[in-house]
Amino acid sequence: MPHPLLKRKYWIFDMDGTLTLAQHDFIAIRHALGLPAHQTILESLAELPDEEAAPKRAQLQAIELEIASQAQAAEGAHELLAYLHTQQAQMGILTRNSLQNIEVTLRAAGLWDYFSVDNLVSRDCVPPKPHPAGIERLLTQWQGLAQEAVMVGDYLYDLQAGRAAQTSTIYIDPSSKFNHRAYADVCISQLHELLS
């Protein structure tokens, strides 16, 4: 029997590690960019002067594009998105990635056809997660209510963004360790668990 949350009308997904298999080695990327190990990449870049940040942003984009071109769908992603499509749910992507990388990733993983371009929200147009602005933008666009929405992600920032926007949160962790379970309404190790 499908999970009760599948009756919700509005679904917002993180991309990397959620709809696609996790491939980013953030430690290696920070090292390649010469950024401190104790801080996330986007926050580190935001603190740099523009002339120093610009080449690093270009380098980051090149690294991410290479990763995006090799993206593979996570187990159960096709089945879940197809089911939500039959239920006429609105579906969006909210990622700390760039808009270009969203398209390259979704196309490589075979998931592009499930999403409208209008429903792809990147770091290029809103403050990055854990800020809830991306969720709020999609819900405004859909004229939807937070209590009718779900945020699905594999990392703390996804869940914090959902909590801040007052949506339900689904935490996917293939290791089943669920280190951030305090921020999750539902914990799953594979997307297809929602369908069974």
Side-chain angles (χ1 to χ4, degrees), residues 147 162 167:
Q147 58 264 36
T167 70

Side-chain angles (χ1 to χ4, degrees), residues 32-133:
L33 297 175
L35 297 175
H38 69 277
Q39 195 173 29
T40 64
I41 293 165
L42 297 184
E43 282 68 18
S44 293
L45 290 174
E47 291 180 358
L48 294 175
D50 283 346
E51 62 274 13
E52 194 179 338
K56 291 183 186 293
R57 289 186 204 281
Q59 187 182 356
L60 174 62
Q61 177 66 8
I63 292 169
E64 289 178 331
L65 263 179
E66 177 62 29
I67 295 168
S69 69
Q70 301 168 40
Q72 298 174 48
E75 189 175 341
H78 282 286
E79 293 84 348
L80 177 59
L81 296 176
Y83 178 85
L84 291 171
H85 181 71
T86 66
Q87 300 302 300
Q88 299 182 314
Q90 292 276 7
M91 296 185 285
I93 297 282
L94 175 59
T95 176
R96 288 166 60 94
N97 225 307
S98 72
L99 189 58
Q100 182 184 12
N101 291 340
I102 296 176
E103 179 172 353
V104 172
T105 298
L106 293 177
R107 287 191 185 280
L111 301 174
W112 175 253
D113 291 341
Y114 293 109
F115 295 94
S116 159
V117 175
D118 296 338
N119 297 337
L120 307 178
V121 181
S122 71
R123 66 180 180 228
D124 302 327
C125 55
V126 293
K129 296 173 291 187
H131 199 288

Side-chain angles (χ1 to χ4, degrees), residues 4 22 31 33 52 55 67 86 104 128 130 136 139-140 150 154 157-159 170 178-179 190 195:
H31 182 72
L33 297 175
E52 194 179 338
I67 295 168
T86 66
V104 172
E136 291 163 352
L139 289 177
T140 299
V150 183
D154 70 319
Y157 292 166
D158 306 314
L159 306 173
I170 297 178
F178 303 117
N179 294 328
Q190 303 287 348
L195 297 170

